[in-house]
Amino acid sequence: MNLPKIKNFPFTSVLGWSVSRYDVFKNCKRQYFYSYYSKFDREIPLSKIQKLKSLTSVALETGNIVHDSIRDLLVRLQKTSKPISRPNFLRYVAKMAEEYCNSKDFCEVYYKQRNSVTAQDLIPQINRIIENFLTSKRLKWIFETAVPESKNWIIEPGGFGETRINNYKAYCKVDYLIPVGDKIYILDWKTGKRDEQKHSRQLIGYSLWASYHFNTNAQNITSTVVYLSPAYDEYTVNLTDEMLAQFQQQVEDETKQMYEYLQDIENNIPKEKDCFEKTDNEFFCKYCNFRELCKNNF
């Protein structure tokens, strides 16, 4: 299958739904304000909010390094399908870990939970995850089934994965997409805990993104989450018309909920910060980059 080019959309300021955006909105409206509307804060300097927003974490950076290592390996497979040298690849991953850890500020250090975070702190866990990938049935499937179609692979397409769902702007950016015969396969790598409810929403979104851009029935698309930690596992959503209709309605309903916190929908201008209430859930506060601003001492 030769895929057409991904469609481009003219820029608009209207907010776009995504699984991650709505999750932040649902969990804490104040965190949502700082994450998406920091320039409208009349009290705290933008530079301060942006600094806190840019903080990474051990778990997040572990995922970033694994994710980007797999991306680069797949790009390499588009050029040559020669067997992977484990020692060379692990050295490549270690170098990436050094670069990432040296260039970022960690939340755990900023909030004095740890004195420092170095690549050596992350590499043992990263290597375990990478080994799960290298010995997986999915990598074997990629070599045996996907490599012959490598010229048609889509690996982290540019942009933000913009699409339209029920005529609402939405973002559903895929990691890795390949056509095989008359089917499209989408894979999403995960290093965190299994969450089928959340991840099924992402997979349906990916399928609708591909359906929209490539003019194919969403039920011709197989979307799979590949869990790489603590043990290898996969989760695939088998789409039905009922699931698609329900998801499309959810996107519309959730978008409208976020619209309620705007004073100007067309230009995506929020109401005042005080309208974005703080959560009373201590779990979210403990791991929030912006907890310093709320002065919650959990």
Side-chain angles (χ1 to χ4, degrees), residues 281-295:
N281 187 322
E282 295 184 10
F283 175 83
F284 294 118
C285 294
K286 283 181 179 179
Y287 298 98
C288 177
N289 283 21
F290 306 110
R291 57 189 181 269
E292 172 187 342
L293 305 181
C294 295
K295 299 179 173 57

Side-chain angles (χ1 to χ4, degrees), residues 239-253:
L239 292 173
T240 65
D241 290 337
E242 182 181 3
M243 289 170 61
L244 289 170
Q246 182 182 41
F247 179 80
Q248 289 169 327
Q249 188 60 52
Q250 283 181 335
V251 169
E252 180 175 341
D253 293 343

Side-chain angles (χ1 to χ4, degrees), residues 5-10 158 162 213:
K5 288 185 177 180
I6 296 170
K7 299 169 185 174
N8 291 319
F9 295 94
E162 186 172 345
H213 284 278

Side-chain angles (χ1 to χ4, degrees), residues 24-36:
V24 176
F25 175 84
K26 178 180 64 176
N27 292 335
C28 178
K29 304 298 187 293
R30 185 60 58 88
Q31 184 188 62
Y32 176 74
F33 177 86
Y34 288 138
S35 297
Y36 294 97

